[in-house]
Amino acid sequence: MEPPKPSLRLLRQLSDRHVLGVLFEEPALTRAQIATRAGLSKPTVGESVRRLTEAGVVRDTGERTGGRGRAGTILDLVPDLGVALAVSIAPDGVRAEAVDVHGRVVSGATEGLVLPTTPDRLERVLPDVVARAAAAAPGAVRVAVVSAADPVDRASGALVHLPDAPFLVGDLSPVPLLTPLVDGEVVVDNDVNWAARAELAATGPDDGGSAGELAYLYLDRGLGCAVVADGVVLRGSRGLAGEVAHLVTTGPDGRAGTFTDVVAALGLREPGSTAVDTAAVLRLLEAGDGDAAAAATLDGLAVAVRGVLAAFVALTDPAVVVLGGVWGSHPAFVERVARHVEAMPRRVALRPPAVRDQPSLAGARQEALRRLREHVVTGSAAH
């Protein structure tokens, strides 16, 4: 029995999606150029452009191509399709960026934070920063995607305070704070999860990227991990997967202890805080093996990381582990951890991240753009 043929409506929707996909990536094209890039016939593109124009998504710019032959009409998306917001709630402050359907950052706003911060401070700062970015953007805000440096409850999108968390002291719910400022959905997830998604998009199969199997261990002022299996970030039933700070590992003199306690035992916590003293770790890395005391402390830290790696490598079997964060991605530390990983029964490839510039915000920005484009596609199909 032959499979059923797709309906004419479905074929038209697919053609429209292809045409929009071309114009998302490369604005201001002729019908012939769109047909070439989309792999569609000129008549099919012509019909699609007609439907999308009637739907108020595509417009004739009034410009024409020059040169020999018949002049071509320049087509583009209409300028008021709205924007998406990518928002970062991080120890260094709150940042919001508005991106248009072409992926261009068209406005932004930032404000610093005093650490450790509390929910009442963020309840004032977060909506203000987002409102400023939205007010400067050309069009309505269709979606907001939030990256937060704390665990995020999977059902509600609320930030969850865990013991010894160095950033937010208390619980916070970004969704009700931002919903009045956004026409559509507000999506919230942990910053390391967004960094892992950005890494997945930026790398190929040899780096665990398109293969969809990697772990992202974040080593900075905070400690976290994201595990990607079959291209999907594993969030856990409550969104608390990857919280490795309290994972039991090997401490000084071979004694077992939680990861965060081992960091404290090595004298690498900030004074009066549970945060890792990144400046101290970087000084040790600069001293390197030329300083016996520095080398011993770094080996102790690398052994603790090896214990963490051994736990989730045994459970999730990633193709590669990405070591992110200010000191985690330092070449000297990656090399040191790699030496200790050689002694593991099940070894795993290690590498620094491909995305280094605000990776969590980059991941949130990618998802915000994807959701904005999908809003345009589904909106055009509804007409």
Side-chain angles (χ1 to χ4, degrees):
M1 182 176 178
E2 292 186 4
K5 294 182 179 180
S7 67
L8 180 59
R9 177 179 174 82
L10 176 59
L11 291 173
R12 286 172 174 170
Q13 288 177 346
L14 290 173
S15 297
D16 294 352
R17 181 179 287 271
H18 282 305
V19 169
L20 287 173
V22 169
L23 289 173
F24 287 148
E25 297 296 335
E26 191 176 354
L29 297 172
T30 65
R31 287 174 175 80
Q33 289 171 328
I34 294 172
T36 299
R37 288 158 175 75
L40 300 172
S41 68
K42 291 180 183 178
T44 298
V45 169
E47 282 298 303
S48 182
V49 166
R50 180 187 59 78
R51 289 190 297 270
L52 293 170
T53 301
E54 291 176 355
V57 179
V58 170
R59 66 188 176 102
D60 181 340
T61 65
E63 299 177 26
R64 300 290 182 268
T65 57
R68 294 183 177 181
R70 184 177 176 183
T73 301
I74 302 295
L75 303 167
D76 203 351
L77 300 173
V78 298
D80 57 350
L81 294 175
V83 298
L85 287 178
V87 183
S88 171
I89 306 172
D92 60 350
V94 176
R95 178 175 181 82
E97 293 181 349
V99 294
D100 66 10
V101 291
H102 300 300
R104 299 175 297 209
V105 177
V106 293
S107 69
T110 61
E111 187 162 334
L113 293 171
V114 177
L115 297 180
T117 195
T118 55
D120 61 319
R121 291 179 193 155
L122 271 175
E123 284 173 359
R124 295 191 301 270
V125 172
L126 179 59
D128 176 67
V129 171
V130 169
R132 283 190 278 133
V141 177
R142 307 299 186 190
V143 64
V145 176
V146 182
S147 166
D150 257 326
V152 175
D153 181 81
R154 187 169 183 172
S156 67
L159 277 58
V160 179
H161 178 66
L162 295 180
D164 295 333
F167 174 47
L168 180 66
V169 181
D171 300 334
L172 176 81
S173 296
V175 175
L177 292 174
L178 301 185
T179 295
L181 305 172
V182 180
D183 284 354
E185 195 175 11
V186 177
V187 180
V188 189
D189 202 358
N190 172 261
D191 58 346
V192 185
N193 288 346
W194 289 121
R197 293 185 182 99
E199 195 69 21
L200 193 68
T203 53
D206 292 340
D207 296 314
S210 60
E213 307 287 344
L214 63 83
Y216 193 110
L217 183 59
Y218 179 79
L219 304 171
D220 205 295
R221 297 184 74 249
L223 306 169
C225 180
V227 175
V228 181
D230 294 328
V232 177
V233 174
L234 303 181
R235 299 186 64 193
S237 62
R238 293 175 296 166
L240 301 180
E243 295 300 321
V244 297
H246 292 87
L247 194 67
V248 175
T249 186
T250 305
D253 302 322
R255 294 191 303 271
T258 65
F259 193 10
T260 187
D261 286 343
V262 170
V263 170
L266 292 169
L268 295 175
R269 273 189 177 179
E270 293 179 359
S273 171
T274 58
V276 180
D277 190 340
T278 57
V281 179
L282 292 174
R283 286 194 296 270
L284 293 175
L285 288 167
E286 291 304 313
D289 291 330
D291 184 318
T297 302
L298 288 172
D299 279 331
L301 189 58
V303 167
V305 170
R306 181 187 67 188
V308 171
L309 290 173
F312 64 73
V313 165
L315 291 174
T316 65
D317 190 30
V320 64
V321 173
V322 178
L323 295 181
V326 170
W327 57 270
S329 63
H330 193 288
F333 191 72
V334 175
E335 181 182 353
R336 189 174 293 270
V337 173
R339 293 202 301 265
H340 287 279
V341 165
E342 288 292 316
M344 284 171 49
R346 289 175 58 183
R347 285 177 272 180
V348 65
L350 301 177
R351 65 169 176 82
V355 181
R356 290 182 172 273
D357 183 18
Q358 297 180 302
S360 58
L361 184 59
R365 191 187 302 119
Q366 290 168 3
E367 179 63 10
L369 177 61
R370 186 193 71 78
R371 287 174 179 264
L372 174 61
R373 289 177 172 178
E374 190 60 28
H375 170 83
V376 173
V377 170
T378 55
S380 66
H383 285 75

